[in-house]
Amino acid sequence: MKIAFTTSDGVHINTHFGGSEQIDVYEISDEGYQFVESLKFNYEIQEENNEGKLAPKIEALTDCTIIYVFAIGGSAAARLIKKGVTPVKARSEEDEISKVLNKLVKTLKGNPPPWLRKALQQKPTNFADEVENEATV
């Protein structure tokens, strides 16, 4: 599964989702993790309303299961959840991506907590599953 992190330095989970210009994506399993890509968002025009900034980020994250953020607004969180991406707030700006990833790997090897099991089950495995899920709503 893919896990994303809002970051300004590639080390810490230290940016607000709406204003984050960098989101690092990792592939993770109970075997370990590896860096996939760094998504870059450049906002030259500062808008009063951040809603316009959200759509490209949310769309770029649709193949992720979880995104770790320092902070996130209610609207963005709701839109991510609707797309099957679970937002998780970091405890502080000092939380390190590598430490969270190592902890997740250990958790996946054992008995994941209910929130993680739910996040893992949310993702449709293919287009047919996605259509079926939408039809049953």
Side-chain angles (χ1 to χ4, degrees), residues 3 17 23 31 43 51 57 77 80-81 87 92 95-96 99 121:
I3 307 290
F17 179 76
I23 299 176
E31 305 274 318
Y43 301 109
E51 292 297 316
K57 287 181 184 174
L80 284 166
I81 290 167
S92 80
D95 279 4
E96 293 182 16
K99 288 182 180 177
Q121 292 170 356

Short mmCIF file of all heavy atoms in Angstrom, two decimals, residues 3 17 23 31 43 51 57 77 80-81 87 92 95-96 99 121:
data_model
loop_
_atom_site.label_atom_id
_atom_site.label_comp_id
_atom_site.label_asym_id
_atom_site.label_seq_id
_atom_site.Cartn_x
_atom_site.Cartn_y
_atom_site.Cartn_z
N ILE A 3 1.64 5.12 1.31
CA ILE A 3 1.45 6.03 2.43
C ILE A 3 2.08 7.36 2.02
O ILE A 3 3.19 7.39 1.48
CB ILE A 3 2.16 5.52 3.71
CG1 ILE A 3 1.76 4.10 4.03
CG2 ILE A 3 1.91 6.47 4.87
CD1 ILE A 3 0.36 3.93 4.51
N PHE A 17 -1.82 20.23 5.31
CA PHE A 17 -2.18 19.63 4.03
C PHE A 17 -2.45 20.67 2.96
O PHE A 17 -1.90 20.61 1.87
CB PHE A 17 -3.40 18.71 4.20
CG PHE A 17 -3.83 18.07 2.91
CD1 PHE A 17 -3.12 17.01 2.38
CD2 PHE A 17 -4.94 18.54 2.22
CE1 PHE A 17 -3.51 16.42 1.18
CE2 PHE A 17 -5.34 17.97 1.04
CZ PHE A 17 -4.62 16.90 0.51
N ILE A 23 4.59 16.52 -0.98
CA ILE A 23 4.02 15.33 -0.34
C ILE A 23 4.84 14.14 -0.81
O ILE A 23 4.91 13.85 -2.01
CB ILE A 23 2.53 15.15 -0.71
CG1 ILE A 23 1.71 16.35 -0.22
CG2 ILE A 23 2.00 13.84 -0.10
CD1 ILE A 23 0.25 16.32 -0.61
N GLU A 31 7.00 -6.27 4.93
CA GLU A 31 8.40 -6.58 4.63
C GLU A 31 9.31 -5.36 4.80
O GLU A 31 10.51 -5.49 4.99
CB GLU A 31 8.53 -7.08 3.19
CG GLU A 31 7.65 -8.26 2.87
CD GLU A 31 8.31 -9.57 3.22
OE1 GLU A 31 9.51 -9.72 2.96
OE2 GLU A 31 7.59 -10.43 3.77
N TYR A 43 2.41 26.94 -5.58
CA TYR A 43 1.32 27.90 -5.55
C TYR A 43 1.89 29.31 -5.58
O TYR A 43 2.25 29.87 -4.57
CB TYR A 43 0.46 27.70 -4.30
CG TYR A 43 -0.11 26.32 -4.23
CD1 TYR A 43 0.35 25.39 -3.31
CD2 TYR A 43 -1.10 25.93 -5.12
CE1 TYR A 43 -0.17 24.12 -3.27
CE2 TYR A 43 -1.62 24.65 -5.09
CZ TYR A 43 -1.16 23.76 -4.16
OH TYR A 43 -1.67 22.50 -4.13
N GLU A 51 -9.61 26.10 -1.21
CA GLU A 51 -10.32 25.00 -1.86
C GLU A 51 -9.73 24.66 -3.24
O GLU A 51 -9.67 23.51 -3.62
CB GLU A 51 -11.82 25.30 -1.98
CG GLU A 51 -12.55 25.35 -0.66
CD GLU A 51 -12.56 24.02 0.08
OE1 GLU A 51 -12.79 22.98 -0.55
OE2 GLU A 51 -12.32 24.04 1.29
N LYS A 57 -4.25 17.99 -5.20
CA LYS A 57 -3.61 17.15 -4.19
C LYS A 57 -4.42 15.88 -3.95
O LYS A 57 -3.88 14.78 -3.91
CB LYS A 57 -3.46 17.90 -2.87
CG LYS A 57 -2.40 18.95 -2.89
CD LYS A 57 -2.30 19.63 -1.56
CE LYS A 57 -1.28 20.75 -1.67
NZ LYS A 57 -1.22 21.55 -0.49
N ALA A 77 -10.12 16.89 4.83
CA ALA A 77 -10.19 15.56 5.44
C ALA A 77 -11.38 14.79 4.91
O ALA A 77 -11.27 13.62 4.54
CB ALA A 77 -10.24 15.68 6.96
N LEU A 80 -10.76 13.67 1.30
CA LEU A 80 -9.82 12.55 1.25
C LEU A 80 -10.50 11.25 1.64
O LEU A 80 -10.35 10.22 0.97
CB LEU A 80 -8.62 12.81 2.15
CG LEU A 80 -7.58 13.78 1.62
CD1 LEU A 80 -6.65 14.22 2.74
CD2 LEU A 80 -6.80 13.17 0.47
N ILE A 81 -11.25 11.29 2.73
CA ILE A 81 -11.93 10.09 3.21
C ILE A 81 -12.90 9.57 2.15
O ILE A 81 -13.00 8.37 1.91
CB ILE A 81 -12.65 10.37 4.55
CG1 ILE A 81 -11.59 10.58 5.65
CG2 ILE A 81 -13.61 9.25 4.92
CD1 ILE A 81 -12.13 11.17 6.93
N PRO A 87 -6.72 10.39 6.47
CA PRO A 87 -5.76 11.35 7.00
C PRO A 87 -5.45 11.06 8.47
O PRO A 87 -6.35 10.71 9.23
CB PRO A 87 -6.47 12.70 6.85
CG PRO A 87 -7.92 12.38 6.75
CD PRO A 87 -8.05 10.96 6.31
N SER A 92 3.53 15.97 16.43
CA SER A 92 4.24 17.24 16.44
C SER A 92 4.98 17.41 15.12
O SER A 92 5.09 16.48 14.33
CB SER A 92 5.25 17.29 17.60
OG SER A 92 6.43 16.60 17.27
N ASP A 95 7.83 14.90 14.36
CA ASP A 95 7.64 13.49 13.97
C ASP A 95 8.38 13.23 12.67
O ASP A 95 8.22 13.97 11.69
CB ASP A 95 6.15 13.18 13.79
CG ASP A 95 5.44 12.91 15.11
OD1 ASP A 95 6.07 13.05 16.17
OD2 ASP A 95 4.24 12.58 15.06
N GLU A 96 9.18 12.15 12.67
CA GLU A 96 9.98 11.82 11.49
C GLU A 96 9.29 10.75 10.65
O GLU A 96 8.75 9.77 11.18
CB GLU A 96 11.36 11.33 11.91
CG GLU A 96 12.19 12.43 12.54
CD GLU A 96 13.59 11.96 12.92
OE1 GLU A 96 14.03 10.90 12.44
OE2 GLU A 96 14.22 12.67 13.72
N LYS A 99 10.55 7.13 11.16
CA LYS A 99 10.10 6.49 12.40
C LYS A 99 8.66 6.00 12.27
O LYS A 99 8.32 4.91 12.73
CB LYS A 99 10.25 7.43 13.59
CG LYS A 99 11.70 7.63 13.98
CD LYS A 99 11.84 8.52 15.19
CE LYS A 99 13.32 8.68 15.54
NZ LYS A 99 13.55 9.57 16.66
N GLN A 121 -8.93 -1.80 4.36
CA GLN A 121 -10.08 -2.40 3.68
C GLN A 121 -10.83 -1.42 2.79
O GLN A 121 -11.60 -1.83 1.95
CB GLN A 121 -11.06 -2.97 4.72
CG GLN A 121 -10.49 -4.15 5.46
CD GLN A 121 -11.35 -4.56 6.64
OE1 GLN A 121 -12.34 -3.91 6.96
NE2 GLN A 121 -10.96 -5.63 7.30
#
